[in-house]
Amino acid sequence: MFDWVVSTIESWGYLGVLMLMVAENVFPPIPSEVIMPLAGFLAGSGRLSLTMTILVGTLGSVLGTLMWYYIGLWFGEERLKRFAARHGRLLTLSPSDIDAAHDWFQRHGAMAVFFGRMIPAIRTLISVPAGLARMPMWKFLLYTVIGSALWTGVLTFAGLLLHENYALVADWVDPLSKLVVIAVVAIYLYRVVTWKPH
């Protein structure tokens, strides 16, 4: 995958960065931790503009995450509650849990979206509860754009500073991504095993 990312950006330039960042949010195994540091390295070598690279990377990230927002919006909270009533153990949620989560998201959803855009493995998934809670589009876009721009900018500058060693960014961030995934899976399995009908 690493070689494919490199060849896509080197061949397609900004369009390659845009397409890869859209794909990274639609299909999470494609890592932004490889895409943006490489783009930053290319910006440092004069083949791309640093400003345009960050703007295009942010745009791709936002476009990709919109799909998950609309999936949450389409599925809807009522449908999710009906599913939870029938398959509570699978979701480890009851309809009342969903009501509580909805109330929490109404109070803290903006910050959840903002910080969630900078957490590996959570970046994509945070859009689904935003859609489920019917967060206003303007608010979702505002916090998504700011969070995505920060994350994209940090990765791009890391690639710029590390020059040919830009791949080290992925080496540092990848273990964190794996830890987040392992923690999420472990919590889910624990909840499945200990779940009791309400």
Side-chain angles (χ1 to χ4, degrees):
M1 182 174 288
F2 182 85
D3 292 336
W4 173 67
V5 169
V6 170
S7 64
T8 300
I9 295 178
E10 288 186 334
S11 301
W12 292 84
Y14 299 120
L15 182 58
V17 173
L18 179 71
M19 291 188 307
L20 286 169
M21 288 302 285
V22 169
E24 185 257 346
N25 284 274
V26 172
F27 186 65
I30 299 173
S32 60
E33 296 87 0
V34 172
I35 299 165
M36 294 315 302
L38 168 60
F41 164 66
L42 294 175
S45 63
R47 283 179 273 179
L48 296 174
S49 155
L50 181 63
T51 304
M52 274 297 293
T53 298
I54 294 172
L55 286 175
V56 168
T58 301
L59 176 62
S61 185
V62 172
L63 290 175
T65 201
L66 280 172
M67 185 194 82
W68 292 107
Y69 173 84
Y70 280 114
I71 286 174
L73 194 66
W74 168 79
F75 197 81
E77 192 176 320
E78 290 307 313
R79 190 182 299 183
L80 182 62
K81 287 201 300 197
R82 288 195 300 272
F83 188 84
R86 290 195 303 272
H87 308 286
R89 183 178 294 276
L90 179 66
L91 286 180
T92 72
L93 290 173
S94 69
S96 60
D97 291 330
I98 293 168
D99 285 332
H102 174 84
D103 292 341
W104 182 91
F105 207 87
Q106 292 290 7
R107 293 193 305 274
H108 309 290
M111 288 299 98
V113 169
F114 172 71
F115 288 109
R117 294 301 302 158
M118 294 177 275
I119 301 173
I122 301 297
R123 285 195 304 276
T124 300
L125 299 177
I126 195 62
S127 305
V128 177
L132 285 169
R134 298 188 175 276
M135 175 182 275
M137 176 59 77
W138 70 266
K139 184 183 286 189
F140 174 75
L141 282 177
L142 175 66
Y143 288 98
T144 297
V145 167
I146 296 171
S148 298
L150 281 171
W151 177 252
T152 301
V154 166
L155 292 178
T156 305
F157 274 106
L160 182 72
L161 295 173
L162 289 169
H163 304 293
E164 291 86 351
N165 297 314
Y166 63 86
L168 290 175
V169 177
D171 293 340
W172 281 94
V173 178
D174 190 53
L176 176 60
S177 303
K178 288 187 171 72
L179 280 175
V180 171
V181 171
I182 290 168
V184 168
V185 170
I187 291 167
Y188 171 75
L189 292 175
Y190 173 78
R191 285 176 61 91
V192 167
V193 170
T194 60
W195 189 82
K196 293 183 177 70
H198 286 228

